[in-house]
Amino acid sequence: MLGVYLAGEIHTNWREEIADGARNLNVMFTAPVTDHEASDDCGVKIMGSEELKFWHDHKGAKLNAIRTRRFIEEADVIVVRFGEKYKQWNAAFEAGYAAALGKSIIVMHGPDHQHALKEVDAAALAVVQSSKQVVEILEYIEKGTLPA
């Protein structure tokens, strides 16, 4: 079974598009917590409130890092999606972490981000613009066949 970690942007349904398109493949998907409020507040909900927003965010980031590190380390392929609306610093960090581990990376973003993400793209083994292309890559990896 191919392990695929779906990193990055959490404001659209791209993860569901990939999972649906790959439903007939032998792939196991993992991902960060995509509930924005839960991801932001996990540290203070579990370990206690903080007066300063910095420490509130710090606690959450550390708890989320436990999950993120585990899933990236266990994955065979990392798909990193950069969306159009927000700057996804976390996605860039996850891509860098995966690159440092020597993971196979697929980066997905629109043409507007080509220049800003040139270093991230250079670390990737594939750069695509759509969920459909990711599914086609996963199918090629598993079956060695090209799309019809």
Side-chain angles (χ1 to χ4, degrees), residues 79 81 106-110 126-131 133-134 137:
V79 178
R81 161 90 172 128
I106 301 169
V107 173
M108 182 170 47
H109 61 74
V127 179
V128 300
Q129 293 186 25
S130 72
S131 298
Q133 290 173 304
V134 172
I137 290 170

Side-chain angles (χ1 to χ4, degrees), residues 7 20-21 26 40 42 49 61 68 70 73-74 83 85 90 95 107 121 123:
D20 185 55
N26 192 20
D40 285 351
C42 65
S49 64
T68 300
R70 173 182 170 226
E73 289 167 5
E74 291 176 353
K85 189 172 180 183
N90 60 317
V107 173
D121 289 352

Side-chain angles (χ1 to χ4, degrees), residues 28-49:
M28 181 182 73
F29 294 105
T30 56
V33 172
T34 58
D35 177 327
H36 204 171
E37 184 178 330
S39 176
D40 285 351
D41 295 341
C42 65
V44 296
K45 292 279 187 181
I46 295 169
M47 297 184 291
S49 64

Side-chain angles (χ1 to χ4, degrees), residues 39-116:
S39 176
D40 285 351
D41 295 341
C42 65
V44 296
K45 292 279 187 181
I46 295 169
M47 297 184 291
S49 64
E50 290 292 340
E51 190 174 315
L52 298 175
K53 182 69 170 143
F54 173 84
W55 294 112
H56 174 113
D57 290 345
H58 190 73
K59 279 184 174 179
K62 286 189 168 203
L63 285 188
N64 285 313
I66 295 169
R67 179 184 177 94
T68 300
R69 287 179 185 180
R70 173 182 170 226
F71 287 147
I72 289 174
E73 289 167 5
E74 291 176 353
D76 300 302
V77 176
I78 315 299
V79 178
V80 185
R81 161 90 172 128
F82 291 89
E84 303 302 319
K85 189 172 180 183
Y86 301 99
K87 299 206 183 326
Q88 285 99 43
W89 306 118
N90 60 317
F93 181 83
E94 290 172 338
Y97 185 63
L101 293 173
K103 297 293 180 171
S104 297
I105 302 169
I106 301 169
V107 173
M108 182 170 47
H109 61 74
D112 291 348
H113 291 332
Q114 285 176 345
H115 179 73

